[in-house]
Each structure stands twice: as structure tokens, then as C-alpha cells.
Amino acid sequence: MLQAVADMQLSESYGRVDVPKQLVIKKDASTISDGVVKVGLNLPLVAKPLVADGSEKSHQLSLAYDKYSLQKLEPPLVLQEFVNHGGVMFKVFIVGEAIKVVRRFSLPNVCMREVLKNAGIHRFPRVSHAAASADDADLDPHVAELPPRPLLERLAKELRRRLGLRLFNLDIIREYGTRDQYYVIDINYFPGYGKMPEYEHIFTDFLLGLMQSKYKKRTTY
């Protein structure tokens, strides 16, 4: 699904949207180091499990600081280059045409000194869950500023068309130190909408709209 974002090459006056360089490892952990070198991924790397069963493990992120620790990871997983983003990410919920954005605390920035000093795998359970809301936190305004609405609307419209989805959410970060460089780091289809503000009204309107659309199609025949 992230490949659909990369294929869009979305760049306009409101900002540029990319995906981090990534690598999927399905089986053998011993091949990770060679794969990382071949693809040209730069450390540190975020490791995300490919399982999506709602378990604690499925929500656990790991940060790998050195190439020697990569073989300690447990496939299947996806590796992404870590992008500094001020410790805040934006969860963008999409329900049909409706879009809602919330702020969540995320992984903190990492400097090169930390990469050289630290080694091994650092694990982070349940990053960006609902209890990690950053909407009311005292944040740097440049970090807290939401992505422009027109940019989100275009992104959502294109992904609805390319993926054939109406119920999904995006995890988006803004590269730290920039104003308009964004990365989509995850896409989830049919996520838990209980975390979305006003989800009852939005979801009800969405379902009613579907029913009315189907009814109109039937009455035209």
C-alpha cells in the first residue's frame, strides 16, 4: 500500500509526500544485513512486524542502531529508514470523503552521536496508541502544525482510487527542520475508529450515504 504513495510522486505548493526507503524481510534473519546494504538503507532502521492480528507484538516497533544487531530481529518484518520528525506523528483517519487528523507522540529524534554511541535493538511497545495523544501537549509550533488540508484531501482521494479503499488511516510524519516534507510511514485498512474524534456521526453519515447511493442506483433501472 505504501508503494501506491511512492508511485504518486505527490509534490505541490502545499508540500511533498514520500515514503521512507524500506525493505521487506519475510523469512531468514541472516539475510537482513546483506539486504540492507544492497538496497542502500541508512541506519538507524525502524523494524515493524508484518503480522496484523491486533496482538501486542503486532504493535511493537524496534529501532536498530547497528548492522550487527539486525540478525537479532524476527521476520517477517519491514525495515524503514528512520526519519527525524520531532517525536510527533499525525494519524489521518479517512471515512469515505471525511478526513480527521489527530496528533500522537512518536519515536524521539535521533542524532548521529547517538547512532555511533548506541548499539543493539531498542524496542518501543504500542507507539502512537490513543493514550499517547499529543493534541493537548505543549509542543513546538513547527512540530505540532497539522499537514495542510488540501494536501491531505488530494492524498486521500488518490489513495481511495488506487487502493479501492474507503475506510483506512495513514500515519504521516513531517521531517524535522522542514516545513513541507512529509512521509507516509504506514497505512491501515479498516482501523479502530474509536480513536477518531466524532467517529459516531462521521461513520453514521458514511453508512447512510452508501445506502442512499445504492437505493438511487436501483431506482434508475
Side-chain angles (χ1 to χ4, degrees), residues 18-211:
D18 291 312
V19 298
K21 192 182 295 185
Q22 61 183 15
L23 173 67
V24 175
I25 303 293
K26 294 184 177 179
K27 294 182 181 178
D28 190 359
S30 65
T31 65
I32 295 179
S33 293
D34 290 340
V36 164
V37 173
K38 185 177 181 180
V39 176
L41 296 182
N42 295 311
L43 294 165
L45 297 174
V46 179
K48 302 178 180 182
L50 283 180
V51 292
D53 56 6
S55 64
E56 286 296 320
K57 184 178 180 180
S58 70
H59 292 286
Q60 187 178 72
L61 298 185
S62 301
L63 198 60
Y65 281 93
D66 66 281
K67 64 179 182 180
Y68 303 106
S69 61
L70 293 175
Q71 60 186 3
K72 297 178 183 178
L73 296 170
E74 300 177 18
L77 52 83
V78 59
L79 295 173
Q80 284 183 347
E81 283 189 342
F82 180 75
V83 178
N84 280 335
H85 52 283
V88 173
M89 63 176 288
F90 307 103
K91 271 199 172 294
V92 182
F93 292 94
I94 294 156
V95 182
E97 302 289 327
I99 299 173
K100 276 285 183 180
V101 188
V102 296
R103 300 178 187 86
R104 293 278 189 266
F105 286 115
S106 180
L107 300 181
N109 285 350
V110 175
C111 66
M112 187 53 63
R113 184 169 61 251
E114 289 180 70
V115 175
L116 296 174
K117 183 176 66 175
N118 291 309
I121 304 293
H122 296 250
R123 303 190 187 279
F124 300 86
R126 295 196 67 84
V127 174
S128 83
H129 60 98
S133 174
D135 279 327
D136 298 322
D138 184 16
L139 300 170
D140 179 340
H142 298 296
V143 172
E145 183 182 2
L146 297 177
R149 188 78 183 184
L151 185 69
L152 295 179
E153 289 174 349
R154 184 177 172 194
L155 180 60
K157 181 180 179 180
E158 278 295 312
L159 286 175
R160 280 195 298 267
R161 183 179 67 82
R162 291 169 183 258
L163 300 177
L165 297 176
R166 298 187 185 183
L167 300 171
F168 60 102
N169 80 345
L170 314 172
D171 290 346
I172 297 180
I173 59 175
R174 179 192 295 110
E175 185 172 4
Y176 189 72
T178 74
R179 184 175 177 82
D180 57 3
Q181 175 62 65
Y182 298 93
Y183 290 90
V184 178
I185 58 174
D186 207 358
I187 300 178
N188 303 292
Y189 56 88
F190 201 60
Y193 283 103
K195 309 167 190 175
M196 183 181 76
E198 305 172 8
Y199 81 92
E200 299 98 333
H201 302 295
I202 292 173
F203 212 82
T204 301
D205 289 343
F206 169 70
L207 293 175
L208 285 173
L210 284 180
M211 292 297 293

